[in-house]
Amino acid sequence: MDSYSPMSLDTCTPHHDWFNAFLTFGLCCGLVISYLPQHYRIIHTKSSEGFSPVFLLLGTTSAASGMFNMITLQAPIVKCCRVVSLGSCIEMSAGVIQVGLQWVCFGFVFVLYMLYYPEHLKYVQIDIEEGDEHRHIPVKTPVRSEEWRLSVILAWITVAHFILLFLTTAYLLLTPTDAAQLSLWATFLGVSSATLAAIQYMPQLMHTYRTKLVGALSIPMMLIQTPGGILMVTSIVLRPGTNWTSWATFAIAAILQGCLLAMCIAWKVRQKKLQIDDFGNPLHPTFPPNSWSDVPSNVHSNVGTYNRSTSPYLADEDSVPGLVTTPSENPIAVRTALTRALESAAESNLMSPALEEPSREENEQTPLLKRSDSSSVRSSSTGRKAAEAARGWQAWFGR
């Protein structure tokens, strides 16, 4: 017996609604085009700074729930693709394609966020004071920053959520299931999608308000999507086999996205007055920088170490000759400890009677501390010699 009942055969009868078909096709094209500025902006700036990872989690899970809601509700219509033409199949399943594109485009933003997360924000950074000017030098540690650690956890939660919804939906559709159970599952997906969408923009609104910067957010994307969300709601409402749970997600998202758009425009005006870019960097930086926060991030070294030889801001500071550290050691910390130890040794030597014997001082001097300046003049006075030695120590380690 054929699996299609007379009712299902009637359902598979193509109903051509050219207005709704063109509207859905235009929305699908507009959806992809609207996300392109955001994708391009992250790739072009090579930074995803400014995004809230919680916002991306809620948006991706909300889009996934909405997609599986549509798949569950329109599963009988999608199955008709086996008995209708390709054009009719695309027209009948356009709703699934539409919400599927929404999930793909937003999920790709999350992927780009993880790929282009700023390196200087991935790990905890500590400031070390150095020199007579008490200059603060940031040194990275192997410890992950709180936001980066949270981002990694939320990315795995997003993957687990998608797998769970996929397996559950596939099981209910591929096995004999009561229609009431399918309706209950679809309602659960729609309500959860609407709930996630309702709170999706809250973390991003708080994050953007706190930073008072646009960051990597794309204003052109929001200018396209905010009015486009209203058209998408209209398209889904006109589609057969859907209810309020299918379009409520997009209605709530459009309203909150409009609020985020207004905030970003306000911060854009503020940034122009302060002469800073979208990431808080001065548009006309001074040189040398007034503080280390003005130094570009590419000057910083990799995790756990600081490459002094490649830094144009610290080229005048020489490292200790003969000092060799392993990758796990911080050369600045080692140098500081060595300086203190040698200063303590210098003070004890100044108090020792051995300073009265020039030959012993010459013989006991280590190669690391031996001075090669042939123009220095030795004084016959013991007090003058002690003062010269003290100044030599300070000159050496005061660099």
Side-chain angles (χ1 to χ4, degrees), residues 18-218:
W18 297 111
F19 172 77
N20 194 24
F22 278 113
L23 178 61
T24 303
F25 176 77
L27 287 175
C28 290
C29 295
L31 183 66
V32 175
I33 294 174
S34 68
Y35 273 100
L36 289 180
Q38 183 63 79
H39 299 161
Y40 173 78
R41 178 170 174 80
I42 298 176
I43 297 173
H44 179 69
T45 60
K46 293 182 173 57
S47 174
S48 58
E49 186 178 357
F51 277 97
S52 169
V54 181
F55 160 72
L56 296 175
L57 166 74
L58 297 176
T60 308
T61 53
S62 174
S65 299
M67 179 180 64
F68 284 108
N69 166 269
M70 184 69 71
I71 292 174
T72 303
L73 290 174
Q74 294 199 326
I77 299 177
V78 174
K79 289 179 180 179
C80 293
C81 288
R82 295 184 294 180
V83 296
V84 298
S85 63
L86 178 61
S88 298
C89 175
I90 295 175
E91 182 181 355
M92 297 172 67
S93 60
V96 177
I97 298 174
Q98 183 177 341
V99 294
L101 283 175
Q102 170 73 19
W103 172 77
V104 171
C105 293
F106 196 95
F108 190 54
V109 175
F110 202 168
V111 173
L112 292 177
Y113 168 81
M114 298 298 294
L115 292 177
Y116 289 95
Y117 192 88
E119 290 293 333
H120 67 280
L121 298 178
K122 284 186 177 181
Y123 299 93
V124 176
Q125 187 172 272
I126 59 175
D127 289 337
I128 295 182
E129 238 182 53
E130 187 182 74
D132 296 335
E133 300 178 356
H134 302 288
R135 177 182 295 172
H136 290 271
I137 300 178
V139 178
K140 293 181 183 178
T141 66
V143 181
R144 286 181 176 180
S145 64
E146 182 178 352
E147 186 175 75
W148 175 239
R149 186 168 60 250
L150 177 64
S151 300
V152 174
I153 295 174
L154 296 184
W156 284 111
I157 292 177
T158 302
V159 174
H161 175 267
F162 176 81
I163 294 175
L164 178 62
L165 295 189
F166 173 80
L167 294 178
T168 305
T169 304
Y171 173 78
L172 292 176
L173 294 179
L174 298 178
T175 58
T177 306
D178 186 14
Q181 294 180 348
L182 283 176
S183 178
L184 184 62
W185 174 245
T187 302
F188 167 75
L189 290 175
V191 171
S192 62
S193 177
T195 304
L196 293 172
I199 62 176
Q200 167 188 352
Y201 282 89
M202 297 301 179
Q204 186 61 58
L205 287 168
M206 294 175 59
H207 183 83
T208 304
Y209 179 79
R210 185 174 62 253
T211 60
K212 292 181 172 56
L213 294 170
V214 176
L217 293 172
S218 174

Side-chain angles (χ1 to χ4, degrees), residues 258-272:
C259 297
L260 181 62
L261 172 62
M263 184 181 295
C264 287
I265 293 176
W267 293 157
K268 197 75 173 179
V269 175
R270 176 180 177 272
Q271 291 169 190
K272 186 176 181 180

